Amino acid sequence: MMLAHFMYTDDKMTSRKILSVLLGFSGICLYFLMQGGTKLEVGFGEICMLVAMFFSASGNILSKNLSGTLSVLTITTFQMLFGEIGLIAVGAAKNGIAPFHFSLLPAIVLGYLSLVSSVSFLLWNGLMKYNKAGSISVFIFLVPIFGVILSSVLLKEKIEWFILPALFLVVLSIILTNWSSNANNLRSPLPGIPVQGD
């Protein structure tokens, strides 16, 4: 949202957007504070996450700018390719090019994860192309929430009560960000398809 404020004249920060960001961030902080026994620790890992989020936001802005001349599929392909090269290079420098035994099951899991990632990025870039970056970016707050829920469902990890107020704050943040009293502000995700107010 902050990067979009400086990059686009039609996507400025407003008091409502600032409030929505604070609510969403508060929801995430609430969960992790409660999970850690109200003890807030900021270490190297947390700093790396913040840096990663900055580069992720920069990538979203770059993708949106390129979407005017390149297809979403092309943009996503290059994103995945360069990201893959970087990860392989770091991993190879640390542990060698193939420090594991590659069998059928890991290959299936790798294929599944690759498919999920590529489809997710394709959908995300498609949303970025046809909508304001600030309106879409707030949905990133849902990632840790769904991570906790899926961990409970798939890994049988205990889900704590404080996930509910955290989820409420995140959902409220998304609603506030995207709420519009003017139906003409709505944009169709696909060109040529009318939406309410057209």
Side-chain angles (χ1 to χ4, degrees):
M1 282 187 178
M2 288 184 289
L3 289 177
H5 173 80
F6 295 105
M7 295 294 296
Y8 306 111
T9 56
D10 63 341
D11 201 2
K12 297 294 186 183
M13 289 292 285
T14 62
S15 56
R16 186 179 63 197
K17 284 186 178 182
I18 293 172
L19 176 61
S20 68
V21 169
L22 292 175
L23 284 172
F25 192 68
S26 297
I28 302 302
C29 288
L30 170 66
Y31 177 79
F32 285 105
L33 280 172
M34 293 298 293
Q35 187 183 45
T38 67
K39 182 174 67 173
L40 181 61
E41 293 183 356
V42 179
F44 180 71
E46 287 76 14
I47 294 173
C48 286
M49 285 296 295
L50 289 173
V51 172
M53 287 298 99
F54 172 78
F55 282 110
S56 175
S58 301
N60 287 335
I61 298 297
L62 181 61
S63 296
K64 185 170 180 64
N65 291 341
L66 290 174
S67 65
T69 55
L70 297 174
S71 70
V72 172
L73 181 60
T74 302
I75 294 170
T76 306
T77 301
F78 279 109
Q79 279 182 330
M80 301 294 287
L81 177 64
F82 290 133
E84 176 185 310
I85 292 172
L87 289 173
I88 290 175
V90 172
K94 186 75 174 176
N95 298 305
I97 192 65
F100 48 81
H101 175 66
F102 209 68
S103 60
L104 179 60
L105 183 58
I108 293 173
V109 173
L110 179 61
Y112 167 74
L113 292 175
S114 300
L115 179 64
V116 169
S117 296
S118 58
V119 171
S120 299
F121 276 108
L122 190 63
L123 292 172
W124 182 264
N125 287 332
L127 288 171
M128 276 290 173
K129 179 174 182 176
Y130 296 109
N131 295 276
K132 294 179 179 180
S135 299
I136 299 301
S137 296
V138 72
F139 283 91
I140 204 74
F141 285 135
L142 286 173
V143 172
I145 300 295
F146 278 112
V148 171
I149 294 173
L150 289 174
S151 295
S152 174
V153 173
L154 299 177
L155 303 177
K156 308 303 180 185
E157 295 181 357
K158 182 181 178 182
I159 189 166
E160 303 287 352
W161 65 267
F162 42 81
I163 188 67
L164 296 177
L167 180 60
F168 172 77
L169 288 172
V170 169
V171 171
L172 185 60
S173 167
I174 293 171
I175 292 172
L176 276 175
T177 301
N178 291 283
W179 184 270
S180 176
S181 58
N182 184 0
N184 290 320
N185 285 337
L186 295 175
R187 292 290 179 264
S188 171
L190 297 174
I193 297 180
V195 295
Q196 181 182 359
D198 284 356

